[in-house]
Amino acid sequence: MELRKTARAGNAGTDGEAYREALDAFLSGSDEKATTHAYLRRVVDRLPARRTLLDIGAAQGTTTRYLAPYFERVVCVEPSEPMRRALARACPQAEVVAEPVGEARVDARADLALLSHVLYYIPRTQWAVTTARVMEWVAPGGVLLVLLQNPDNACMRMVRHFTGCHFDVRELAGELAALPPGLVGRTELDVVPARYHGRSLEETLMVADFLLSVPDAPSPTREAVEAYVRRHFDNEDGTYTFRHDQHVLSIERPAP
Protein backbone atom coordinates (compact mmCIF):
# COMPACT_ATOMS: atom_id res chain seq x y z
CA MET A 1 0.00 0.00 0.00
CA GLU A 2 1.56 3.28 -1.08
CA LEU A 3 1.46 6.02 1.54
CA ARG A 4 1.65 9.56 0.20
CA LYS A 5 2.13 12.61 2.37
CA THR A 6 -0.57 14.47 0.48
CA ALA A 7 -3.18 11.80 1.15
CA ARG A 8 -5.64 11.82 4.03
CA ALA A 9 -5.20 9.37 6.87
CA GLY A 10 -8.00 7.54 8.63
CA ASN A 11 -9.86 6.54 5.47
CA ALA A 12 -9.62 2.74 5.73
CA GLY A 13 -13.32 1.90 5.46
CA THR A 14 -14.24 -1.20 7.41
CA ASP A 15 -15.84 -2.99 4.44
CA GLY A 16 -12.78 -2.94 2.17
CA GLU A 17 -9.83 -5.22 1.59
CA ALA A 18 -7.50 -2.34 2.53
CA TYR A 19 -9.00 -2.31 6.01
CA ARG A 20 -8.47 -6.05 6.41
CA GLU A 21 -4.87 -5.73 5.19
CA ALA A 22 -4.20 -2.88 7.60
CA LEU A 23 -5.69 -4.88 10.48
CA ASP A 24 -3.44 -7.80 9.54
CA ALA A 25 -0.42 -5.46 9.54
CA PHE A 26 -1.37 -4.12 12.96
CA LEU A 27 -1.82 -7.56 14.47
CA SER A 28 1.37 -8.93 12.90
CA GLY A 29 3.37 -6.25 14.72
CA SER A 30 1.48 -6.49 18.00
CA ASP A 31 1.47 -8.94 20.89
CA GLU A 32 -2.24 -8.20 21.42
CA LYS A 33 -3.48 -11.63 20.34
CA ALA A 34 -0.98 -13.49 22.53
CA THR A 35 -1.83 -11.50 25.65
CA THR A 36 -5.57 -11.48 24.93
CA HIS A 37 -5.70 -15.21 24.25
CA ALA A 38 -3.90 -15.96 27.50
CA TYR A 39 -6.46 -13.81 29.32
CA LEU A 40 -9.38 -15.47 27.52
CA ARG A 41 -8.11 -18.94 28.35
CA ARG A 42 -8.28 -18.05 32.04
CA VAL A 43 -11.85 -16.83 31.57
CA VAL A 44 -12.82 -20.03 29.74
CA ASP A 45 -11.36 -22.16 32.51
CA ARG A 46 -13.72 -20.50 35.02
CA LEU A 47 -16.91 -20.87 32.97
CA PRO A 48 -19.58 -23.14 34.47
CA ALA A 49 -20.53 -24.34 30.95
CA ARG A 50 -18.96 -24.24 27.48
CA ARG A 51 -21.78 -24.90 25.10
CA THR A 52 -21.84 -21.79 22.90
CA LEU A 53 -19.33 -19.08 22.00
CA LEU A 54 -20.67 -15.84 20.50
CA ASP A 55 -18.05 -13.61 18.86
CA ILE A 56 -19.45 -10.22 17.82
CA GLY A 57 -17.11 -8.41 15.46
CA ALA A 58 -15.14 -11.60 14.85
CA ALA A 59 -13.10 -9.95 12.04
CA GLN A 60 -10.78 -12.46 10.36
CA GLY A 61 -11.42 -15.07 13.04
CA THR A 62 -8.06 -15.36 14.78
CA THR A 63 -9.59 -15.28 18.26
CA THR A 64 -12.63 -17.28 17.13
CA ARG A 65 -10.36 -20.05 15.90
CA TYR A 66 -8.42 -20.02 19.17
CA LEU A 67 -11.54 -20.35 21.34
CA ALA A 68 -13.61 -22.65 19.12
CA PRO A 69 -12.15 -25.98 20.40
CA TYR A 70 -13.43 -25.20 23.90
CA PHE A 71 -17.08 -24.89 22.80
CA GLU A 72 -19.69 -27.14 21.19
CA ARG A 73 -21.08 -24.35 19.00
CA VAL A 74 -19.62 -21.12 17.60
CA VAL A 75 -21.72 -18.17 16.38
CA CYS A 76 -20.18 -15.00 14.91
CA VAL A 77 -21.55 -11.59 13.97
CA GLU A 78 -19.42 -9.98 11.27
CA PRO A 79 -20.87 -7.44 8.80
CA SER A 80 -17.73 -6.99 6.65
CA GLU A 81 -17.65 -9.25 3.60
CA PRO A 82 -13.81 -9.39 3.32
CA MET A 83 -13.64 -10.26 7.01
CA ARG A 84 -16.30 -12.95 6.60
CA ARG A 85 -14.26 -14.60 3.83
CA ALA A 86 -11.20 -14.68 6.09
CA LEU A 87 -13.35 -15.88 9.01
CA ALA A 88 -14.70 -18.78 6.95
CA ARG A 89 -11.15 -19.91 6.23
CA ALA A 90 -10.02 -19.53 9.84
CA CYS A 91 -13.04 -21.13 11.50
CA PRO A 92 -15.21 -22.97 8.94
CA GLN A 93 -17.47 -24.48 11.61
CA ALA A 94 -18.67 -21.06 12.78
CA GLU A 95 -22.25 -19.97 12.08
CA VAL A 96 -21.97 -16.43 10.71
CA VAL A 97 -24.52 -13.61 10.92
CA ALA A 98 -23.74 -10.89 8.37
CA GLU A 99 -25.75 -7.97 9.81
CA PRO A 100 -24.32 -5.38 12.24
CA VAL A 101 -24.95 -6.05 15.91
CA GLY A 102 -27.80 -3.53 16.06
CA GLU A 103 -29.68 -5.37 13.30
CA ALA A 104 -28.52 -8.95 13.81
CA ARG A 105 -30.84 -11.78 14.75
CA VAL A 106 -28.92 -14.27 16.86
CA ASP A 107 -30.45 -17.60 17.84
CA ALA A 108 -28.05 -18.41 20.67
CA ARG A 109 -27.59 -18.36 24.42
CA ALA A 110 -23.86 -17.94 24.81
CA ASP A 111 -21.80 -19.12 27.75
CA LEU A 112 -19.12 -16.68 26.57
CA ALA A 113 -19.80 -13.66 24.37
CA LEU A 114 -17.19 -11.25 23.04
CA LEU A 115 -17.85 -7.66 22.00
CA SER A 116 -14.28 -6.95 21.05
CA HIS A 117 -13.30 -3.48 19.78
CA VAL A 118 -16.75 -2.93 18.28
CA LEU A 119 -18.00 0.05 20.28
CA TYR A 120 -15.73 2.46 18.36
CA TYR A 121 -18.18 2.06 15.47
CA ILE A 122 -21.36 2.51 17.53
CA PRO A 123 -22.61 5.95 18.63
CA ARG A 124 -21.82 6.60 22.28
CA THR A 125 -25.52 7.08 23.06
CA GLN A 126 -26.13 3.48 21.87
CA TRP A 127 -23.51 1.69 23.96
CA ALA A 128 -25.84 0.69 26.80
CA VAL A 129 -28.65 -0.28 24.39
CA THR A 130 -26.22 -2.41 22.39
CA THR A 131 -24.89 -4.08 25.53
CA ALA A 132 -28.43 -4.87 26.68
CA ARG A 133 -29.17 -6.41 23.26
CA VAL A 134 -26.08 -8.61 23.47
CA MET A 135 -26.84 -9.65 27.06
CA GLU A 136 -30.14 -11.07 25.80
CA TRP A 137 -28.02 -13.52 23.81
CA VAL A 138 -26.00 -14.57 26.88
CA ALA A 139 -27.13 -17.60 28.85
CA PRO A 140 -27.89 -17.23 32.57
CA GLY A 141 -24.56 -17.79 34.28
CA GLY A 142 -22.71 -16.77 31.12
CA VAL A 143 -20.31 -13.88 30.60
CA LEU A 144 -19.99 -11.01 28.13
CA LEU A 145 -16.54 -9.47 27.68
CA VAL A 146 -16.46 -5.94 26.24
CA LEU A 147 -13.00 -4.98 24.98
CA LEU A 148 -11.83 -1.47 24.16
CA GLN A 149 -8.45 0.15 24.24
CA ASN A 150 -7.44 1.89 27.44
CA PRO A 151 -8.12 5.57 26.62
CA ASP A 152 -4.90 6.59 28.36
CA ASN A 153 -2.56 4.49 26.21
CA ALA A 154 -0.27 5.93 23.52
CA CYS A 155 -2.40 4.68 20.65
CA MET A 156 -5.58 6.32 21.92
CA ARG A 157 -3.77 9.54 22.71
CA MET A 158 -2.93 9.66 18.99
CA VAL A 159 -6.55 8.98 18.06
CA ARG A 160 -7.76 11.69 20.43
CA HIS A 161 -5.13 14.14 19.14
CA PHE A 162 -6.26 13.83 15.52
CA THR A 163 -9.97 13.06 15.82
CA GLY A 164 -11.05 14.42 19.19
CA CYS A 165 -12.76 11.08 19.85
CA HIS A 166 -12.66 9.53 23.32
CA PHE A 167 -13.65 5.93 24.04
CA ASP A 168 -13.78 4.68 27.63
CA VAL A 169 -15.50 1.42 28.54
CA ARG A 170 -15.53 2.56 32.17
CA GLU A 171 -18.32 4.94 31.18
CA LEU A 172 -20.39 1.96 30.05
CA ALA A 173 -19.71 0.20 33.34
CA GLY A 174 -21.33 3.10 35.13
CA GLU A 175 -24.53 2.71 33.07
CA LEU A 176 -25.11 -1.00 33.57
CA ALA A 177 -27.33 -0.59 36.63
CA ALA A 178 -29.95 1.02 34.39
CA LEU A 179 -30.27 -2.07 32.17
CA PRO A 180 -33.36 -4.29 32.51
CA PRO A 181 -33.48 -6.56 35.58
CA GLY A 182 -31.93 -10.01 35.22
CA LEU A 183 -29.36 -9.02 32.59
CA VAL A 184 -26.42 -7.80 34.68
CA GLY A 185 -24.87 -9.48 37.70
CA ARG A 186 -21.26 -9.16 38.78
CA THR A 187 -18.99 -6.89 36.74
CA GLU A 188 -15.23 -6.53 36.71
CA LEU A 189 -12.72 -4.36 34.84
CA ASP A 190 -9.35 -5.80 33.84
CA VAL A 191 -6.38 -4.48 31.88
CA VAL A 192 -4.68 -6.64 29.24
CA PRO A 193 -1.28 -5.27 28.14
CA ALA A 194 -0.40 -4.89 24.46
CA ARG A 195 2.42 -3.33 22.46
CA TYR A 196 2.84 -2.66 18.75
CA HIS A 197 6.31 -2.73 17.18
CA GLY A 198 6.56 -1.53 13.58
CA ARG A 199 9.56 -2.57 11.52
CA SER A 200 9.46 0.49 9.26
CA LEU A 201 7.91 3.91 8.93
CA GLU A 202 5.73 2.82 6.00
CA GLU A 203 4.33 -0.11 7.95
CA THR A 204 3.66 2.03 11.03
CA LEU A 205 1.90 4.69 8.95
CA MET A 206 -0.37 2.01 7.45
CA VAL A 207 -1.25 0.92 10.97
CA ALA A 208 -1.81 4.52 12.07
CA ASP A 209 -4.20 4.98 9.13
CA PHE A 210 -6.14 1.92 10.32
CA LEU A 211 -6.27 3.17 13.91
CA LEU A 212 -7.49 6.60 12.83
CA SER A 213 -10.40 5.16 10.82
CA VAL A 214 -13.04 6.37 13.27
CA PRO A 215 -16.51 6.87 11.76
CA ASP A 216 -17.46 10.50 11.12
CA ALA A 217 -14.15 11.77 12.52
CA PRO A 218 -11.94 14.29 10.69
CA SER A 219 -9.14 12.83 8.58
CA PRO A 220 -5.67 14.30 9.20
CA THR A 221 -3.12 14.67 6.43
CA ARG A 222 -0.58 11.90 6.01
CA GLU A 223 2.13 14.49 6.59
CA ALA A 224 0.69 15.36 10.01
CA VAL A 225 0.41 11.70 11.01
CA GLU A 226 3.97 11.01 9.90
CA ALA A 227 5.23 13.90 11.99
CA TYR A 228 3.34 12.60 15.02
CA VAL A 229 4.60 9.03 14.55
CA ARG A 230 8.20 10.21 14.21
CA ARG A 231 7.92 12.39 17.30
CA HIS A 232 6.18 9.95 19.65
CA PHE A 233 6.92 6.40 18.45
CA ASP A 234 10.40 6.53 16.85
CA ASN A 235 13.01 4.19 18.39
CA GLU A 236 15.82 5.89 16.40
CA ASP A 237 16.78 2.58 14.77
CA GLY A 238 14.23 2.57 11.94
CA THR A 239 11.53 0.92 14.07
CA TYR A 240 8.52 2.37 15.88
CA THR A 241 6.77 1.26 19.08
CA PHE A 242 3.66 2.23 21.02
CA ARG A 243 1.54 0.77 23.82
CA HIS A 244 -2.10 -0.11 23.23
CA ASP A 245 -3.22 -1.82 26.44
CA GLN A 246 -6.85 -2.94 26.49
CA HIS A 247 -9.63 -2.59 29.02
CA VAL A 248 -11.84 -5.66 29.42
CA LEU A 249 -15.22 -5.18 31.05
CA SER A 250 -16.60 -8.53 32.22
CA ILE A 251 -20.38 -8.67 32.68
CA GLU A 252 -21.99 -11.80 34.12
CA ARG A 253 -25.64 -12.61 33.49
CA PRO A 254 -27.15 -13.80 36.78
CA ALA A 255 -27.96 -17.48 37.08
CA PRO A 256 -31.60 -18.26 37.90
Side-chain angles (χ1 to χ4, degrees):
M1 180 184 295
E2 182 184 1
L3 299 169
R4 295 170 297 176
K5 289 185 178 181
T6 55
R8 308 295 294 186
N11 288 321
T14 58
D15 289 332
E17 286 289 350
Y19 183 89
R20 185 188 63 79
E21 292 173 5
L23 174 60
D24 288 344
F26 173 54
L27 293 177
S28 69
S30 171
D31 61 0
E32 175 184 303
K33 288 303 181 184
T35 58
T36 303
H37 289 177
Y39 174 87
L40 292 175
R41 177 59 193 273
R42 294 192 293 271
V43 173
V44 168
D45 287 344
R46 298 194 300 266
L47 291 174
R50 302 179 190 172
R51 292 158 302 206
T52 301
L53 167 69
L54 173 60
D55 193 352
I56 298 170
Q60 74 279 68
T62 305
T63 296
T64 317
R65 179 177 57 196
Y66 173 76
L67 291 175
Y70 300 106
F71 294 86
E72 299 171 16
R73 181 187 179 200
V74 178
V75 181
C76 296
V77 175
E78 179 47 64
S80 166
E81 183 179 354
M83 293 295 187
R84 288 198 303 273
R85 291 197 296 268
L87 173 60
R89 294 190 294 269
C91 193
Q93 71 270 41
E95 304 167 35
V96 181
V97 178
E99 290 75 27
V101 61
E103 304 169 17
R105 295 185 178 183
V106 175
D107 180 17
R109 291 296 178 268
D111 299 292
L112 177 62
L114 303 180
L115 188 65
S116 181
H117 299 286
V118 171
L119 292 183
Y120 311 119
Y121 309 102
I122 294 174
R124 176 65 187 85
T125 56
Q126 297 298 308
W127 281 15
V129 171
T130 300
T131 302
R133 180 177 177 82
V134 175
M135 289 303 294
E136 294 282 359
W137 302 330
V138 175
V143 176
L144 167 65
L145 301 180
V146 184
L147 287 80
L148 277 183
Q149 290 202 31
N150 181 337
D152 301 319
N153 69 33
C155 170
M156 296 311 286
R157 286 197 297 270
M158 177 181 69
V159 171
R160 192 159 55 249
H161 173 81
F162 284 112
T163 71
C165 296
H166 177 78
F167 305 95
D168 192 341
V169 78
R170 292 171 294 192
E171 297 174 358
L172 172 63
E175 299 174 356
L176 295 178
L179 296 189
L183 287 184
V184 175
R186 188 176 69 90
T187 65
E188 184 176 348
L189 184 71
D190 291 323
V191 177
V192 177
R195 185 189 74 144
Y196 171 79
H197 183 73
R199 294 166 294 183
S200 70
L201 178 61
E202 293 297 300
E203 178 183 283
T204 306
L205 288 175
M206 179 193 295
V207 167
D209 186 22
F210 161 73
L211 295 169
L212 292 168
S213 296
V214 178
D216 302 321
S219 297
T221 64
R222 190 76 63 182
E223 184 176 43
V225 175
E226 179 176 334
Y228 188 97
V229 166
R230 287 183 181 275
R231 179 177 180 182
H232 294 279
F233 305 150
D234 191 352
N235 295 320
E236 299 184 351
D237 63 354
T239 67
Y240 298 81
T241 302
F242 59 80
R243 302 284 309 190
H244 60 103
D245 298 352
Q246 304 168 89
H247 275 161
V248 184
L249 178 63
S250 174
I251 309 170
E252 292 186 3
R253 182 164 184 177

PDB file of all heavy atoms in Angstrom, residues 47-68:
ATOM      1  N   LEU A  47     -15.516 -20.814  33.376  1.00  0.00           N
ATOM      2  CA  LEU A  47     -16.913 -20.865  32.967  1.00  0.00           C
ATOM      3  C   LEU A  47     -17.613 -22.103  33.528  1.00  0.00           C
ATOM      4  O   LEU A  47     -17.052 -23.200  33.499  1.00  0.00           O
ATOM      5  CB  LEU A  47     -17.020 -20.883  31.443  1.00  0.00           C
ATOM      6  CG  LEU A  47     -16.624 -19.616  30.693  1.00  0.00           C
ATOM      7  CD1 LEU A  47     -16.654 -19.867  29.191  1.00  0.00           C
ATOM      8  CD2 LEU A  47     -17.533 -18.444  31.052  1.00  0.00           C
ATOM      9  N   PRO A  48     -18.849 -21.965  33.988  1.00  0.00           N
ATOM     10  CA  PRO A  48     -19.578 -23.141  34.467  1.00  0.00           C
ATOM     11  C   PRO A  48     -20.032 -24.064  33.346  1.00  0.00           C
ATOM     12  O   PRO A  48     -20.309 -25.246  33.573  1.00  0.00           O
ATOM     13  CB  PRO A  48     -20.778 -22.530  35.200  1.00  0.00           C
ATOM     14  CG  PRO A  48     -20.957 -21.175  34.592  1.00  0.00           C
ATOM     15  CD  PRO A  48     -19.574 -20.705  34.232  1.00  0.00           C
ATOM     16  N   ALA A  49     -20.145 -23.533  32.110  1.00  0.00           N
ATOM     17  CA  ALA A  49     -20.530 -24.344  30.949  1.00  0.00           C
ATOM     18  C   ALA A  49     -19.822 -23.782  29.723  1.00  0.00           C
ATOM     19  O   ALA A  49     -19.459 -22.601  29.683  1.00  0.00           O
ATOM     20  CB  ALA A  49     -22.035 -24.332  30.745  1.00  0.00           C
ATOM     21  N   ARG A  50     -19.649 -24.656  28.716  1.00  0.00           N
ATOM     22  CA  ARG A  50     -18.961 -24.239  27.479  1.00  0.00           C
ATOM     23  C   ARG A  50     -19.729 -24.763  26.269  1.00  0.00           C
ATOM     24  O   ARG A  50     -19.168 -25.414  25.396  1.00  0.00           O
ATOM     25  CB  ARG A  50     -17.524 -24.767  27.445  1.00  0.00           C
ATOM     26  CG  ARG A  50     -16.660 -24.334  28.607  1.00  0.00           C
ATOM     27  CD  ARG A  50     -15.275 -24.941  28.475  1.00  0.00           C
ATOM     28  NE  ARG A  50     -14.488 -24.747  29.679  1.00  0.00           N
ATOM     29  CZ  ARG A  50     -13.303 -25.316  29.884  1.00  0.00           C
ATOM     30  NH1 ARG A  50     -12.784 -26.100  28.954  1.00  0.00           N
ATOM     31  NH2 ARG A  50     -12.654 -25.097  31.011  1.00  0.00           N
ATOM     32  N   ARG A  51     -20.982 -24.423  26.218  1.00  0.00           N
ATOM     33  CA  ARG A  51     -21.782 -24.905  25.096  1.00  0.00           C
ATOM     34  C   ARG A  51     -21.632 -24.010  23.873  1.00  0.00           C
ATOM     35  O   ARG A  51     -21.354 -24.485  22.781  1.00  0.00           O
ATOM     36  CB  ARG A  51     -23.255 -24.983  25.527  1.00  0.00           C
ATOM     37  CG  ARG A  51     -23.532 -26.059  26.571  1.00  0.00           C
ATOM     38  CD  ARG A  51     -24.798 -25.785  27.338  1.00  0.00           C
ATOM     39  NE  ARG A  51     -24.759 -24.477  28.002  1.00  0.00           N
ATOM     40  CZ  ARG A  51     -25.455 -24.184  29.093  1.00  0.00           C
ATOM     41  NH1 ARG A  51     -26.250 -25.079  29.632  1.00  0.00           N
ATOM     42  NH2 ARG A  51     -25.367 -22.986  29.638  1.00  0.00           N
ATOM     43  N   THR A  52     -21.806 -22.691  24.047  1.00  0.00           N
ATOM     44  CA  THR A  52     -21.845 -21.791  22.898  1.00  0.00           C
ATOM     45  C   THR A  52     -20.921 -20.595  23.108  1.00  0.00           C
ATOM     46  O   THR A  52     -20.950 -19.958  24.170  1.00  0.00           O
ATOM     47  CB  THR A  52     -23.279 -21.280  22.647  1.00  0.00           C
ATOM     48  OG1 THR A  52     -24.142 -22.400  22.419  1.00  0.00           O
ATOM     49  CG2 THR A  52     -23.329 -20.355  21.443  1.00  0.00           C
ATOM     50  N   LEU A  53     -20.135 -20.293  22.080  1.00  0.00           N
ATOM     51  CA  LEU A  53     -19.326 -19.082  21.997  1.00  0.00           C
ATOM     52  C   LEU A  53     -19.988 -18.141  21.008  1.00  0.00           C
ATOM     53  O   LEU A  53     -20.337 -18.548  19.897  1.00  0.00           O
ATOM     54  CB  LEU A  53     -17.912 -19.412  21.521  1.00  0.00           C
ATOM     55  CG  LEU A  53     -17.042 -18.224  21.093  1.00  0.00           C
ATOM     56  CD1 LEU A  53     -16.669 -17.367  22.299  1.00  0.00           C
ATOM     57  CD2 LEU A  53     -15.783 -18.702  20.359  1.00  0.00           C
ATOM     58  N   LEU A  54     -20.151 -16.881  21.397  1.00  0.00           N
ATOM     59  CA  LEU A  54     -20.668 -15.845  20.502  1.00  0.00           C
ATOM     60  C   LEU A  54     -19.601 -14.772  20.355  1.00  0.00           C
ATOM     61  O   LEU A  54     -19.214 -14.138  21.331  1.00  0.00           O
ATOM     62  CB  LEU A  54     -21.953 -15.238  21.080  1.00  0.00           C
ATOM     63  CG  LEU A  54     -22.534 -14.024  20.351  1.00  0.00           C
ATOM     64  CD1 LEU A  54     -22.895 -14.352  18.906  1.00  0.00           C
ATOM     65  CD2 LEU A  54     -23.752 -13.478  21.106  1.00  0.00           C
ATOM     66  N   ASP A  55     -19.119 -14.582  19.135  1.00  0.00           N
ATOM     67  CA  ASP A  55     -18.051 -13.607  18.863  1.00  0.00           C
ATOM     68  C   ASP A  55     -18.620 -12.513  17.969  1.00  0.00           C
ATOM     69  O   ASP A  55     -18.852 -12.735  16.775  1.00  0.00           O
ATOM     70  CB  ASP A  55     -16.868 -14.305  18.198  1.00  0.00           C
ATOM     71  CG  ASP A  55     -15.618 -13.443  18.170  1.00  0.00           C
ATOM     72  OD1 ASP A  55     -15.711 -12.249  18.520  1.00  0.00           O
ATOM     73  OD2 ASP A  55     -14.550 -13.961  17.793  1.00  0.00           O
ATOM     74  N   ILE A  56     -18.856 -11.340  18.552  1.00  0.00           N
ATOM     75  CA  ILE A  56     -19.449 -10.218  17.823  1.00  0.00           C
ATOM     76  C   ILE A  56     -18.328  -9.302  17.352  1.00  0.00           C
ATOM     77  O   ILE A  56     -17.552  -8.791  18.151  1.00  0.00           O
ATOM     78  CB  ILE A  56     -20.429  -9.458  18.721  1.00  0.00           C
ATOM     79  CG1 ILE A  56     -21.568 -10.388  19.147  1.00  0.00           C
ATOM     80  CG2 ILE A  56     -20.980  -8.226  17.998  1.00  0.00           C
ATOM     81  CD1 ILE A  56     -22.446  -9.819  20.216  1.00  0.00           C
ATOM     82  N   GLY A  57     -18.252  -9.110  16.035  1.00  0.00           N
ATOM     83  CA  GLY A  57     -17.106  -8.413  15.459  1.00  0.00           C
ATOM     84  C   GLY A  57     -15.922  -9.346  15.370  1.00  0.00           C
ATOM     85  O   GLY A  57     -14.806  -8.997  15.754  1.00  0.00           O
ATOM     86  N   ALA A  58     -16.161 -10.541  14.861  1.00  0.00           N
ATOM     87  CA  ALA A  58     -15.141 -11.597  14.848  1.00  0.00           C
ATOM     88  C   ALA A  58     -13.971 -11.284  13.919  1.00  0.00           C
ATOM     89  O   ALA A  58     -12.919 -11.926  14.015  1.00  0.00           O
ATOM     90  CB  ALA A  58     -15.772 -12.931  14.442  1.00  0.00           C
ATOM     91  N   ALA A  59     -14.157 -10.328  13.000  1.00  0.00           N
ATOM     92  CA  ALA A  59     -13.105  -9.950  12.039  1.00  0.00           C
ATOM     93  C   ALA A  59     -12.621 -11.184  11.282  1.00  0.00           C
ATOM     94  O   ALA A  59     -13.432 -11.979  10.811  1.00  0.00           O
ATOM     95  CB  ALA A  59     -11.973  -9.205  12.731  1.00  0.00           C
ATOM     96  N   GLN A  60     -11.294 -11.356  11.179  1.00  0.00           N
ATOM     97  CA  GLN A  60     -10.784 -12.458  10.361  1.00  0.00           C
ATOM     98  C   GLN A  60     -10.732 -13.775  11.112  1.00  0.00           C
ATOM     99  O   GLN A  60     -10.262 -14.777  10.582  1.00  0.00           O
ATOM    100  CB  GLN A  60      -9.416 -12.095   9.789  1.00  0.00           C
ATOM    101  CG  GLN A  60      -8.244 -12.125  10.770  1.00  0.00           C
ATOM    102  CD  GLN A  60      -8.137 -10.907  11.607  1.00  0.00           C
ATOM    103  OE1 GLN A  60      -8.991 -10.668  12.446  1.00  0.00           O
ATOM    104  NE2 GLN A  60      -7.080 -10.128  11.420  1.00  0.00           N
ATOM    105  N   GLY A  61     -11.206 -13.811  12.346  1.00  0.00           N
ATOM    106  CA  GLY A  61     -11.421 -15.073  13.036  1.00  0.00           C
ATOM    107  C   GLY A  61     -10.254 -15.632  13.814  1.00  0.00           C
ATOM    108  O   GLY A  61     -10.299 -16.787  14.228  1.00  0.00           O
ATOM    109  N   THR A  62      -9.223 -14.847  14.049  1.00  0.00           N
ATOM    110  CA  THR A  62      -8.064 -15.364  14.781  1.00  0.00           C
ATOM    111  C   THR A  62      -8.447 -15.797  16.194  1.00  0.00           C
ATOM    112  O   THR A  62      -8.101 -16.900  16.637  1.00  0.00           O
ATOM    113  CB  THR A  62      -6.952 -14.303  14.842  1.00  0.00           C
ATOM    114  OG1 THR A  62      -6.629 -13.886  13.517  1.00  0.00           O
ATOM    115  CG2 THR A  62      -5.709 -14.863  15.517  1.00  0.00           C
ATOM    116  N   THR A  63      -9.170 -14.942  16.900  1.00  0.00           N
ATOM    117  CA  THR A  63      -9.592 -15.284  18.258  1.00  0.00           C
ATOM    118  C   THR A  63     -10.694 -16.336  18.235  1.00  0.00           C
ATOM    119  O   THR A  63     -10.726 -17.238  19.089  1.00  0.00           O
ATOM    120  CB  THR A  63     -10.056 -14.027  19.003  1.00  0.00           C
ATOM    121  OG1 THR A  63      -8.938 -13.149  19.145  1.00  0.00           O
ATOM    122  CG2 THR A  63     -10.610 -14.360  20.379  1.00  0.00           C
ATOM    123  N   THR A  64     -11.590 -16.264  17.258  1.00  0.00           N
ATOM    124  CA  THR A  64     -12.633 -17.284  17.126  1.00  0.00           C
ATOM    125  C   THR A  64     -12.016 -18.661  16.985  1.00  0.00           C
ATOM    126  O   THR A  64     -12.433 -19.629  17.647  1.00  0.00           O
ATOM    127  CB  THR A  64     -13.514 -16.987  15.905  1.00  0.00           C
ATOM    128  OG1 THR A  64     -13.816 -15.600  15.836  1.00  0.00           O
ATOM    129  CG2 THR A  64     -14.795 -17.788  15.969  1.00  0.00           C
ATOM    130  N   ARG A  65     -11.025 -18.764  16.119  1.00  0.00           N
ATOM    131  CA  ARG A  65     -10.355 -20.055  15.900  1.00  0.00           C
ATOM    132  C   ARG A  65      -9.676 -20.541  17.175  1.00  0.00           C
ATOM    133  O   ARG A  65      -9.702 -21.743  17.480  1.00  0.00           O
ATOM    134  CB  ARG A  65      -9.321 -19.906  14.780  1.00  0.00           C
ATOM    135  CG  ARG A  65      -8.534 -21.194  14.489  1.00  0.00           C
ATOM    136  CD  ARG A  65      -7.598 -20.968  13.317  1.00  0.00           C
ATOM    137  NE  ARG A  65      -6.692 -19.858  13.576  1.00  0.00           N
ATOM    138  CZ  ARG A  65      -5.981 -19.236  12.631  1.00  0.00           C
ATOM    139  NH1 ARG A  65      -6.115 -19.613  11.362  1.00  0.00           N
ATOM    140  NH2 ARG A  65      -5.171 -18.244  12.932  1.00  0.00           N
ATOM    141  N   TYR A  66      -9.084 -19.627  17.937  1.00  0.00           N
ATOM    142  CA  TYR A  66      -8.416 -20.015  19.174  1.00  0.00           C
ATOM    143  C   TYR A  66      -9.408 -20.570  20.196  1.00  0.00           C
ATOM    144  O   TYR A  66      -9.129 -21.572  20.873  1.00  0.00           O
ATOM    145  CB  TYR A  66      -7.676 -18.821  19.767  1.00  0.00           C
ATOM    146  CG  TYR A  66      -7.098 -19.081  21.133  1.00  0.00           C
ATOM    147  CD1 TYR A  66      -5.937 -19.838  21.276  1.00  0.00           C
ATOM    148  CD2 TYR A  66      -7.722 -18.607  22.284  1.00  0.00           C
ATOM    149  CE1 TYR A  66      -5.412 -20.106  22.535  1.00  0.00           C
ATOM    150  CE2 TYR A  66      -7.207 -18.861  23.540  1.00  0.00           C
ATOM    151  CZ  TYR A  66      -6.049 -19.612  23.659  1.00  0.00           C
ATOM    152  OH  TYR A  66      -5.548 -19.891  24.902  1.00  0.00           O
ATOM    153  N   LEU A  67     -10.576 -19.947  20.314  1.00  0.00           N
ATOM    154  CA  LEU A  67     -11.538 -20.346  21.337  1.00  0.00           C
ATOM    155  C   LEU A  67     -12.446 -21.496  20.919  1.00  0.00           C
ATOM    156  O   LEU A  67     -12.996 -22.197  21.769  1.00  0.00           O
ATOM    157  CB  LEU A  67     -12.403 -19.142  21.722  1.00  0.00           C
ATOM    158  CG  LEU A  67     -11.706 -18.011  22.474  1.00  0.00           C
ATOM    159  CD1 LEU A  67     -12.667 -16.847  22.670  1.00  0.00           C
ATOM    160  CD2 LEU A  67     -11.182 -18.498  23.825  1.00  0.00           C
ATOM    161  N   ALA A  68     -12.627 -21.688  19.615  1.00  0.00           N
ATOM    162  CA  ALA A  68     -13.606 -22.654  19.116  1.00  0.00           C
ATOM    163  C   ALA A  68     -13.459 -24.057  19.712  1.00  0.00           C
ATOM    164  O   ALA A  68     -14.477 -24.701  20.024  1.00  0.00           O
ATOM    165  CB  ALA A  68     -13.547 -22.716  17.592  1.00  0.00           C
TER     166      ALA A  68
END
